[in-house]
């Protein structure tokens, strides 16, 4: 199993940047594909980005493409989400997720989740 803890959320103004980190412990980090999801109040959890086991491939939701970048450092057991040009509609709790076999956009397919970190973007 793997345990996930997110860091880096906060309150920023529109146009600012934030970098989220997700630290993993437990099983070998490179055994897991990783994803970032977010959930705004009253809305369903939605896919943000994902990255394959050694970072060879990355995938993004259309709403964040060109603004957000997912990356991973397997030596540090950490996955990152660099968020630039933030918009008020990016406000949500951001979760990282891990799965040994899946790296797509369906959140129900991921087996392991962090507790989430709040990102609030003011206009």
């Amino acid at each position: 199993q793997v345990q996930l803890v997110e860091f880096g959320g906060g309150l920023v103004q529109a146009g600012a940047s934030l970098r989220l980190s997700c630290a993993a412990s437990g099983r070998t980090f490179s055994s897991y594909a990783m994803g970032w999801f977010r959930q705004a109040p009253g809305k369903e959890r939605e896919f943000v980005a994902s990255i394959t086991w050694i970072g060879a491939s990355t995938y993004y939701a259309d709403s964040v493409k060109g603004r957000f970048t997912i990356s991973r450092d397997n030596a540090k057991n950490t996955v990152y989400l660099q968020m630039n040009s933030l918009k008020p509609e990016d406000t949500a709790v951001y979760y990282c997720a891990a799965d040994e076999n899946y790296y797509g956009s369906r959140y129900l397919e991921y087996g392991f989740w962090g507790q989430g970190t709040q990102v609030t973007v003011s206009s």
Side-chain angles (χ1 to χ4, degrees):
Q1 289 201 354
V2 62
Q3 293 77 45
L4 305 172
V5 179
E6 299 96 336
F7 301 94
L11 171 62
V12 297
Q13 290 191 327
S17 297
L18 274 178
R19 187 175 81 156
L20 305 183
S21 301
C22 172
S25 60
R27 276 199 61 191
T28 305
F29 183 59
S30 58
S31 298
Y32 297 91
M34 302 297 297
W36 284 99
F37 290 77
R38 65 187 182 187
Q39 189 165 18
K43 294 189 176 181
E44 193 167 323
R45 191 166 299 191
E46 66 172 358
F47 172 75
V48 175
S50 63
I51 188 167
T52 52
W53 297 266
I54 60 171
S57 298
T58 57
Y59 304 88
Y60 296 94
D62 288 343
S63 59
V64 306
K65 206 170 289 184
R67 299 188 298 124
F68 290 12
T69 302
I70 188 171
S71 61
R72 67 189 295 161
D73 186 339
N74 285 351
K76 295 183 178 180
N77 293 346
T78 302
V79 62
Y80 304 97
L81 185 69
Q82 177 66 43
M83 306 186 294
N84 299 330
S85 303
L86 282 161
K87 304 175 181 179
E89 51 264 44
D90 294 318
T91 295
V93 177
Y94 282 71
Y95 299 90
C96 71
D99 196 85
E100 293 176 287
N101 301 305
Y102 183 77
Y103 55 85
S105 62
R106 299 191 298 270
Y107 72 88
L108 290 175
E109 300 288 342
Y110 285 83
F112 302 95
W113 291 86
Q115 84 289 348
T117 186
Q118 177 70 46
V119 172
T120 303
V121 185
S122 64
S123 56

